[in-house]
Amino acid sequence: MFRAVTTVDAALRALDELGPGAQVIAGGTDVMIQRMTGSLSKSEPLVHIGRISEMRGVSLGSESITIGALSTHRDIRTDPILAAHLPSFVQASSTVGGWQTQEVGTIGGNVCNASPAADLGAPLLMAQATLVLVSSGGERRLQAADFFLGRRQTALEFGELLTAIEVPIPAPGSWETYIKIGRRSAMEVAIVGLAARFVVDGAVSAARLAFCSVAPRPMRVPDAEVSLVGTMLEDEAIAAAGRLCASAVSPIDDQRATASYRTSVVPRLVRQAAEACRSELV
Amino acid sequence: MTAIGARSPRSDAEAKVRGLANYGVDYSETGMLHARLLRSPAAAGRITRLDVEVAGRMPGVYAVATAAEAPPHRSGLILMDTPFFADDVVRYEGEPIAMVVAESERLADDAVSSIVLEIEESTPVSDVGQALAPGAVLVHPDLETYQSVPGAAPWPRSGNAGGILTSDPEGVDGAFAAADVVVEDVYVVPRQYQAYLEPKSATASYDGHRWTIHVSHQFPHNVRTRVAQALGVELSRVRVVGEHIGGAFGARLDLGLEQFAALGASMTGRTVKLVNNRSEDLISCMSRENATIRVRSGVMKDGRIVARDFECLMDGGAYAGDTPYLTSIALLMAGSVYRVDTARVVAKSVYTNTAPTGAFRGVSGTYICFAIERHMDQLAHAIGMDRREFRLLNLFESGDAMLNGQVLDDADILSEAFDRVEEVAPWAETGTGMLRGVGIASAIWLTNPLAGSATVTLHEDGHIGVSTAATENGSGAVAMGVRQIAAGEFDVAAEDVFITLPDTDSQAYDAGSQGSRTTHVVGMAVHNAATQMKTRLFDIASGLLNLLPEDLELRGGNVCMRGDASVSVPLAEVAGAALRSGGPLSATGSYSVPLPKWDPDAADGLLFPAFPVPTYHVHLAEVEVDPVDGRVRVTRYVVAQEVGRMINPDGVYGQIQGGVAQGVGYALWEGLENVEGRYTRRTLESYGLPLAVDIPDVEMIVLEHPHEAGPFGAKGVAEPPIVPVAAAIANAVADATGANIVRLPIDPEQVLNALDMRDS
Amino acid sequence: MQLEFTLNGMVRRLDVEPDETLLDVVRERLGLTGTKEGCDEGECGACTVLIDDRPVDSCIYPALAVEGLAVRTVEALSAPDGALSHLQRAFVDRAAVQCGFCTPGLLMTLTALLESNQNPSSSEVDDAIAGNICRCTGYSAIREAVRRAVEEVSA
């Protein structure tokens, strides 16, 4: 069964009606493959939300930026608000698949699919985004840190729809990036991804480091972040933060890379990000 | 002869850009049924239960076939070791066990899922070391009872070794003892999947006596031979019709799915189509074999290489395929390009419980070149000599002989190729700077000599038709090469020549698009046909022009008086006149390349004895290594390749660029590894094919030394550009990092470890 | 379920299953085999079609999601009189076609690129076709064909 809806209300009614087996599909770039390969059951109904226009687009508020869950990677990649305030989101979406995937794949899908390697997971966590979850019973808001529960596990409940992602506008003096490691220059599932932000006011007043693909869910490394506060991103400070990150991650061996490679790349990524920031801001 | 050397578009380009070219997967017939295979989920074991009853009773299911329904004998390309379906034993993951023929692919899929299969799994023989260890489990305990195909020369095989080549001349150990320095290296390479974009398929029908098979295949006549062999019928009961080919690279030389479609057709009396999905295509494909190569050389301080020990262990997988042939390449490359006074060579193709391996562009030459050229760098380091200088010092010259005794009378071309590369990319100035490096590698490669034929017809409008079973696998060898050679023979425009697709019923034998043979061999067949036809053509024209035949020549679509084009008659008119004077102008020509002289005593098990019509190659790679993630970026790539004569420059450039791209993939990303006999990468997504963002434009230097026999001097072009690529890149990475790169692909982890080691 | 959409300018109405992909509908039901299936997983781009002018991998796109939208395939690239598009012509003339199995998908992606960017840089071209794998050409001739098409259009 394929139920196409064009409003949030209709989507929620469909989910309530079809019950817990219903699968929400937007761009389909993950759901269709999972149904073909048997990771998702083909006999369960599909609720197609791809045309709910109220769930697409980026808007700038006074304190936060709202990204509709159906904003595609292409939308994000080319959005001037995000380019100005949240470049790590732009960079992350630019690395998801090829153009074809970016045209239909959505930030909401990337997040709800909750692959440990999901590129957008890292910037969401880093930017302390809030996820807006709506059901027929009302709305609840969850911090990204509380949304990702594990490998392909989220706090999303049956009947709930992720409609939007709200991201606080970064403080003045913020610098951020998303760096992805893959074997080739494109079309890669992240071997490791790092979303980093440094708020610099003379010295570093705040730092955030969030990784994907090094644990069952995206993770921050608070110790390392704290260790950078008050520094000028000196080489030793970067190295120390890198070491803390390396000891915090718990990657696995898979067909793309070994755990030890992932661990050895982590501090190098921290250094690349911090050095890039230093050369611009410090 | 305007057609020779012209950048004419390929004859099939327009159909392809319009989406009108029909490939094997596009072929369909009314009332066609669809088949699916049940493939073994286990790498090794014994089938304890195979129950197809439920599947057979499902609505829309026309037939279910297992070993019980299939011919009982084994078949094979050279050794008949392969059962039609696995009977009681499974030998690799993906081995066909049963087939369902149904009204739709979906129904066939559902029926396959309902088959009850139980396998008592055993520990697979998953690598060559395990296979050759004393007391190893034998993949084929009955190997000694297997027959080779009729006409095959005998070759040694035993245990898990399906093919063994040995060359052990006297005096090797003595030469080592006299050497100043001895260096030994061991190199390990993975499988490489051809990853043609069109998955394999076959569509077969049966008329009660004969089978017709439509397929995209490099070698239709081999399909005929092998399907007939598998079914146990005379080969003329099988007709193979070639469709457009969506990439092949060697993977469509032996049987794919054709025998199964044929069986389905004769079981149901209906046309049956069978298509691989991508994952089963990857898992079951005869990829380039993984191998371990040990090279030990003795050198003198002055740079001479006085002794070599070369051992190449190739993983042939569960069934031999063509791998016993490929052991010969070790002998043909272990002492070529660079002089080696004496060498011992052993190569084995080894059975394991993995998918059978087979031909992929450049076959074992890619990794043998990698091993030898890496080793050359190591030797140069060991005696403190510049790597390029060391190569030039030992470089073959005309008159030098390979280890098979074959004398190369044009090997001076190698030195020319090194010089030309030096002109565009001076060794001393390339690859300099932090984390940058340069590598150079060289190869000699063959033009496959096997037989072919072509029928050339002069039609009544003056156009030339060429009918040949030679296949256009995408390289342009037919759509550019053969077509322009035919145009050149008659001095018409390439656009005035059309070429039919292969059909084994109406065209004589052709050995398929392999080993760069098509332009040269089929071009010669066209030349022979044209030569034959021209006798009658000039004869008829001489009547029309009142001139002697020997005073005539072909020019711009006309037969003219030699030296005076104003006295002429159009080809169209001659073709028309021929109908009233003995019948249409048509002739068939055949050709096979005479083998060069070699020493039959050079080795035992030498099934593939020589390199006919050799060509010469030098590649230079410049790389940059990323210190953050260890990724290698190819920043510059230069190729000097000798081609005899360019029939179409775009064809030559396209093969060089494309071959290099596949070589870059082999060097940096691609590779199938198995754990307990199961591939770890099972989709194109995880496999890692080269992308536009990672492949540079190759700088090409084309050297032309026309071949005396023709056609118009052309030699083989398409296969060799992949051969030296991994070698050149590995040498560049070694130069950039200071590490001895001994393993492909050169993944970021290997590079990062090398950098860590250097810095610690 | 009923599906109505525009395919190459013609309105099509047909019944499709929920899991049928757009590729299945185009190739199997409507018989346009110019669009190719290479990987069934959105990796190789051989199945690229344009949905409302945007390139999409049709092998993983649900057919029912194109309800009311306009789909273009390779068969629609030439002019009504049959003349090849500038890009198709350049692919022919610059030898950007070898086996040709990736060609329809590449042409669709690059058509979308040239419709939205009349003079793409070399890296924009490479980036645009990162999701279109060509195993034969090594991409160089494809880059050259795009340059040629750009010149032809601006000439």
Side-chain angles (χ1 to χ4, degrees):
Chain A
M1 165 167 209
F2 187 96
R3 176 87 63 89
V5 294
T6 53
T7 65
V8 171
D9 285 346
L12 297 177
R13 277 198 305 277
L15 290 177
D16 286 344
E17 188 188 313
L18 297 170
Q23 297 162 13
V24 174
I25 181 169
T29 54
D30 276 312
V31 171
M32 287 295 278
I33 294 174
Q34 290 187 41
R35 281 172 77 97
M36 288 178 197
T37 57
S39 311
L40 283 174
S41 164
K42 242 180 164 166
S43 51
E44 297 293 350
L46 288 168
V47 178
H48 181 251
I49 61 167
R51 306 261 195 105
I52 303 179
S53 47
E54 59 192 289
M55 281 174 60
R56 186 168 176 180
V58 177
S59 59
L60 178 63
S62 56
E63 285 168 9
S64 65
I65 293 163
T66 302
I67 306 172
L70 289 178
S71 303
T72 65
H73 296 295
R74 189 80 180 172
D75 293 341
I76 292 169
R77 184 179 178 168
T78 54
D79 188 84
I81 297 169
L82 295 176
H85 298 281
L86 296 168
S88 66
F89 283 67
V90 174
Q91 290 160 339
S93 277
S94 303
T95 70
V96 178
W99 187 2
Q100 294 93 329
T101 299
Q102 292 174 14
E103 277 290 1
V104 294
T106 63
I107 185 171
N110 193 264
V111 167
C112 291
N113 189 44
S115 156
D119 290 293
L120 273 299
L124 241 67
L125 200 63
M126 180 278 283
Q128 295 181 321
T130 299
L131 287 84
V132 182
L133 309 178
V134 179
S135 69
S136 54
E139 179 186 293
R140 64 184 180 124
R141 305 161 85 80
L142 276 185
Q143 280 289 299
D146 300 324
F147 180 80
F148 296 108
L149 301 182
R151 186 182 177 280
R152 296 203 181 278
Q153 288 178 325
T154 68
L156 198 68
E157 288 174 3
F158 295 129
E160 268 185 335
L161 199 61
L162 168 67
T163 57
I165 293 155
E166 291 176 3
V167 190
I169 295 174
S174 290
W175 182 96
E176 67 178 56
T177 190
Y178 176 75
I179 313 173
K180 174 175 180 168
I181 302 299
R183 290 186 299 152
R184 298 168 299 174
S185 304
M187 297 299 286
E188 289 286 313
V189 173
I191 289 174
V192 181
L194 165 64
R197 180 186 291 169
F198 306 99
V199 186
V200 181
D201 178 15
V204 173
S205 61
R208 294 205 200 118
L209 301 167
F211 292 91
C212 66
S213 236
V214 292
R217 54 180 170 161
M219 62 174 287
R220 278 174 63 185
V221 187
D223 292 359
E225 296 173 352
V226 170
S227 79
L228 289 169
V229 173
T231 72
M232 306 281 286
L233 295 177
E234 299 89 347
D235 285 352
E236 315 82 74
I238 295 171
R243 282 194 296 275
L244 288 168
C245 289
S247 58
V249 298
S250 54
I252 56 164
D253 289 334
D254 66 13
Q255 59 188 357
R256 298 175 215 289
T258 64
S260 78
Y261 173 74
R262 289 184 159 100
T263 305
S264 67
V265 158
V266 161
R268 291 172 146 95
L269 278 179
V270 172
R271 189 170 72 201
Q272 185 184 347
E275 284 178 353
C277 175
R278 188 173 67 190
S279 69
E280 287 186 38
L281 289 192
V282 180
Chain B
M1 290 188 305
T2 49
I4 302 303
R7 299 178 77 170
S8 302
R10 45 187 305 139
S11 55
D12 55 11
E14 188 163 331
K16 286 175 174 177
V17 300
R18 289 182 186 277
L20 300 177
N22 265 293
Y23 295 78
V25 290
D26 300 325
Y27 184 80
S28 72
E29 289 180 13
T30 309
M32 185 172 80
L33 301 177
H34 299 265
R36 292 289 295 161
L37 293 173
L38 171 68
R39 293 176 179 274
S40 173
R46 189 163 292 279
I47 298 173
T48 53
R49 187 169 172 215
L50 178 60
D51 185 347
V52 300
E53 210 192 312
V54 172
R57 281 192 279 107
M58 286 171 72
V61 170
Y62 281 71
V64 182
T66 67
E69 283 73 30
H73 60 276
R74 289 168 186 270
S75 62
L77 188 72
I78 172 162
L79 183 65
M80 299 211 270
D81 59 0
T82 314
F84 203 104
F85 290 108
D87 34 33
D88 57 333
V89 174
V90 292
R91 292 188 176 80
Y92 70 95
E93 189 204 8
E95 181 166 12
I97 292 175
M99 173 176 67
V100 172
V101 183
E103 222 147 53
S104 70
E105 216 170 318
R106 196 168 285 211
L107 284 175
D109 261 331
D110 291 346
V112 164
S113 316
S114 77
I115 295 175
V116 182
L117 170 67
E118 287 171 14
I119 294 174
E120 186 191 317
E121 291 195 41
S122 52
T123 306
V125 178
S126 57
D127 70 56
V128 165
Q130 191 188 342
L132 295 179
V137 172
L138 294 180
V139 177
H140 292 275
D142 301 328
L143 178 65
E144 257 137 61
T145 68
Y146 295 166
Q147 304 292 307
S148 56
V149 298
W155 74 95
R157 52 186 182 272
S158 66
N160 276 326
I164 304 169
L165 171 126
T166 312
S167 174
D168 192 2
E170 275 175 31
V172 176
D173 292 327
F176 268 110
D180 288 337
V181 182
V182 174
V183 177
E184 177 168 341
D185 291 298
V186 178
Y187 300 95
V188 179
V189 298
R191 294 184 179 201
Q192 187 184 19
Y193 175 43
Q194 293 86 345
Y196 36 79
L197 276 196
E198 181 199 5
K200 284 183 183 164
S201 72
T203 306
S205 58
Y206 179 67
D207 68 1
H209 184 64
R210 301 185 77 220
W211 287 263
T212 298
I213 299 171
H214 289 261
V215 64
S216 25
H217 202 278
Q218 293 170 263
F219 193 172
H221 280 90
N222 188 45
V223 175
R224 182 176 72 158
T225 305
R226 296 277 281 113
V227 169
Q229 181 200 45
L231 294 174
V233 302
E234 289 171 298
L235 63 82
S236 282
R237 286 179 64 194
V238 180
R239 173 189 175 204
V240 181
V241 182
E243 305 295 329
H244 285 287
I245 303 170
F249 318 114
R252 299 184 208 261
L253 284 168
D254 201 359
L255 278 186
L257 299 173
E258 297 83 3
Q259 73 275 36
F260 301 112
L263 180 67
S266 45
M267 284 178 76
T268 60
R270 298 271 291 268
T271 298
V272 172
K273 182 173 182 177
L274 176 55
V275 185
N276 270 347
N277 68 37
R278 178 56 70 177
S279 191
E280 68 180 328
D281 198 278
L282 181 153
I283 287 164
S284 64
C285 187
M286 297 174 92
S287 295
R288 187 196 313 283
E289 63 280 0
N290 52 307
T292 302
I293 309 103
R294 190 178 60 81
V295 203
R296 187 167 69 105
S297 299
V299 281
M300 306 309 286
K301 287 194 173 124
D302 64 8
R304 280 179 301 129
I305 307 167
V306 293
R308 175 163 292 167
D309 223 341
F310 190 88
E311 182 191 65
C312 182
L313 303 178
M314 308 152 61
D315 186 346
Y319 300 104
D322 66 350
T323 56
Y325 282 114
L326 300 184
T327 57
S328 300
I329 307 282
L331 185 80
L332 301 176
M333 293 181 79
S336 304
V337 180
Y338 310 110
R339 280 188 220 106
V340 175
D341 288 352
T342 183
R344 181 188 294 125
V345 179
V346 176
K348 295 178 182 170
S349 65
V350 179
Y351 284 119
T352 60
N353 288 121
T354 59
T357 55
F360 183 164
R361 189 184 205 164
V363 291
S364 47
T366 49
Y367 55 79
I368 294 173
C369 184
F370 162 67
I372 287 178
E373 289 286 3
R374 276 299 302 126
H375 184 64
M376 288 294 286
D377 272 16
Q378 295 295 104
L379 293 176
H381 286 312
I383 57 169
M385 194 177 276
D386 173 77
R387 297 176 289 146
R388 182 173 181 275
E389 193 187 323
F390 176 62
R391 284 176 167 80
L392 294 179
L393 184 82
N394 291 292
L395 198 63
F396 261 39
E397 291 169 5
S398 297
D400 279 332
M402 311 201 303
L403 296 178
N404 66 340
Q406 177 185 347
V407 174
L408 300 173
D409 49 23
D410 54 359
D412 278 349
I413 296 171
L414 281 171
S415 143
E416 182 190 351
F418 270 93
D419 289 348
R420 295 288 302 276
V421 168
E422 181 67 11
E423 282 169 24
V424 303
W427 183 244
E429 298 160 26
T430 312
T432 54
M434 277 282 287
L435 294 174
R436 292 165 72 86
V438 62
I440 200 160
S442 179
I444 300 173
W445 200 248
L446 76 155
T447 305
N448 180 304
L450 299 173
S453 85
T455 298
V456 175
T457 301
L458 177 61
H459 290 277
E460 291 77 55
D461 59 356
H463 285 57
I464 306 291
V466 179
S467 177
T468 174
T471 54
E472 174 50 68
N473 62 21
S475 70
V478 173
M480 290 170 164
V482 170
R483 185 192 199 208
Q484 287 176 234
I485 287 165
E489 286 289 343
F490 292 93
D491 201 47
V492 299
E495 295 69 48
D496 293 338
V497 179
F498 54 88
I499 302 188
T500 56
L501 283 164
D503 183 338
T504 58
D505 267 12
S506 54
Q507 295 145 350
Y509 185 86
D510 181 89
S513 46
Q514 55 174 325
S516 314
R517 63 175 279 285
T518 301
T519 303
H520 182 71
V521 173
V522 183
M524 283 301 289
V526 166
H527 167 76
N528 289 342
T531 304
Q532 204 178 313
M533 194 223 278
K534 282 177 194 171
T535 308
R536 266 197 74 216
L537 191 154
F538 285 135
D539 208 37
I540 294 165
S542 75
L544 298 172
L545 289 171
N546 280 323
L547 290 165
L548 291 172
E550 52 269 36
D551 293 334
L552 299 177
E553 63 179 357
L554 292 168
R555 183 163 300 216
N558 298 296
V559 185
C560 310
M561 187 166 97
R562 211 173 269 282
D564 182 0
S566 68
V567 182
S568 70
V569 56
L571 281 174
E573 210 171 296
V574 183
L579 298 186
R580 301 179 294 276
S581 168
L585 283 164
S586 185
T588 298
S590 294
Y591 189 68
S592 67
V593 182
L595 281 186
K597 273 200 191 119
W598 83 94
D599 172 9
D601 298 324
D604 192 21
L606 187 61
L607 294 171
F608 189 113
F611 271 181
V613 192
T615 56
Y616 301 90
H617 310 264
V618 175
H619 287 209
L620 178 139
E622 184 190 60
V623 303
E624 200 173 87
V625 169
D626 186 324
V628 172
D629 58 12
R631 280 181 50 200
V632 174
R633 184 153 191 91
V634 180
T635 50
R636 189 169 184 198
Y637 204 94
V638 182
V639 171
Q641 174 165 342
E642 197 270 323
V643 302
R645 171 112 183 251
M646 280 203 278
I647 301 299
N648 183 323
D650 284 331
V652 172
Y653 302 151
Q655 289 314 294
I656 294 176
Q657 175 78 31
V660 169
Q662 290 175 350
V664 174
Y666 185 50
L668 298 181
W669 308 295
E670 298 180 42
L672 295 172
E673 305 280 355
N674 83 71
V675 173
E676 294 285 300
R678 284 173 59 86
Y679 286 147
T680 53
R681 294 179 182 165
R682 305 167 73 85
T683 62
L684 279 197
E685 183 276 309
S686 55
Y687 181 70
L689 290 164
L691 308 173
V693 282
D694 286 319
I695 298 297
D697 289 340
V698 174
E699 298 166 55
M700 300 173 206
I701 302 156
V702 177
L703 309 177
E704 295 187 291
H705 293 273
H707 190 256
E708 63 276 10
F712 298 100
K715 303 175 186 171
V717 172
E719 183 166 44
I722 195 176
V723 172
V725 184
I729 290 174
N731 282 343
V733 176
D735 184 39
T737 61
N740 182 12
I741 301 294
V742 296
R743 195 161 50 80
L744 297 181
I746 310 165
D747 56 59
E749 180 158 13
Q750 188 183 163
V751 175
L752 219 50
N753 289 342
L755 292 178
D756 281 346
M757 213 128 86
R758 190 190 61 177
D759 297 341
S760 68
Chain C
M1 294 177 68
Q2 268 283 296
L3 167 67
E4 183 175 310
F5 72 114
T6 306
L7 178 60
N8 298 338
M10 188 187 289
V11 176
R12 309 305 301 251
R13 211 172 286 120
L14 68 163
D15 257 331
V16 304
E17 301 289 324
D19 274 286
E20 267 185 279
T21 63
L22 180 56
L23 180 68
D24 290 339
V25 165
V26 167
R27 277 182 63 88
E28 312 295 334
R29 297 214 179 223
L30 300 173
L32 291 184
T33 55
T35 307
K36 304 302 182 191
E37 177 166 21
C39 69
D40 337 300
E41 57 166 349
E43 171 70 14
C44 78
C47 67
T48 305
V49 301
L50 303 188
I51 302 176
D52 282 0
D53 307 327
R54 302 167 302 141
V56 174
D57 287 327
S58 64
C59 75
I60 52 168
Y61 201 72
L64 287 163
V66 300
E67 175 71 29
L69 304 182
V71 175
R72 275 190 285 164
T73 67
V74 67
E75 286 88 350
L77 288 182
S78 55
D81 68 355
L84 297 178
S85 73
H86 287 294
L87 188 65
Q88 286 175 306
R89 185 82 255 158
F91 261 59
V92 171
D93 289 342
R94 294 313 327 123
V97 180
Q98 286 188 23
C99 91
F101 204 77
C102 70
T103 304
L106 271 161
L107 286 169
M108 299 320 288
T109 303
L110 288 168
T111 295
L113 176 70
L114 295 179
E115 285 176 358
S116 58
N117 179 355
Q118 270 90 47
N119 195 8
S121 68
S122 176
S123 65
E124 283 171 333
V125 172
D126 286 349
D127 183 58
I129 61 171
N132 289 87
I133 288 168
C134 173
R135 188 56 154 165
C136 295
T137 65
Y139 304 103
S140 187
I142 294 166
R143 293 177 190 129
E144 205 184 324
V146 176
R147 283 195 293 273
R148 167 69 67 95
V150 166
E151 285 165 18
E152 291 289 316
V153 171
S154 56

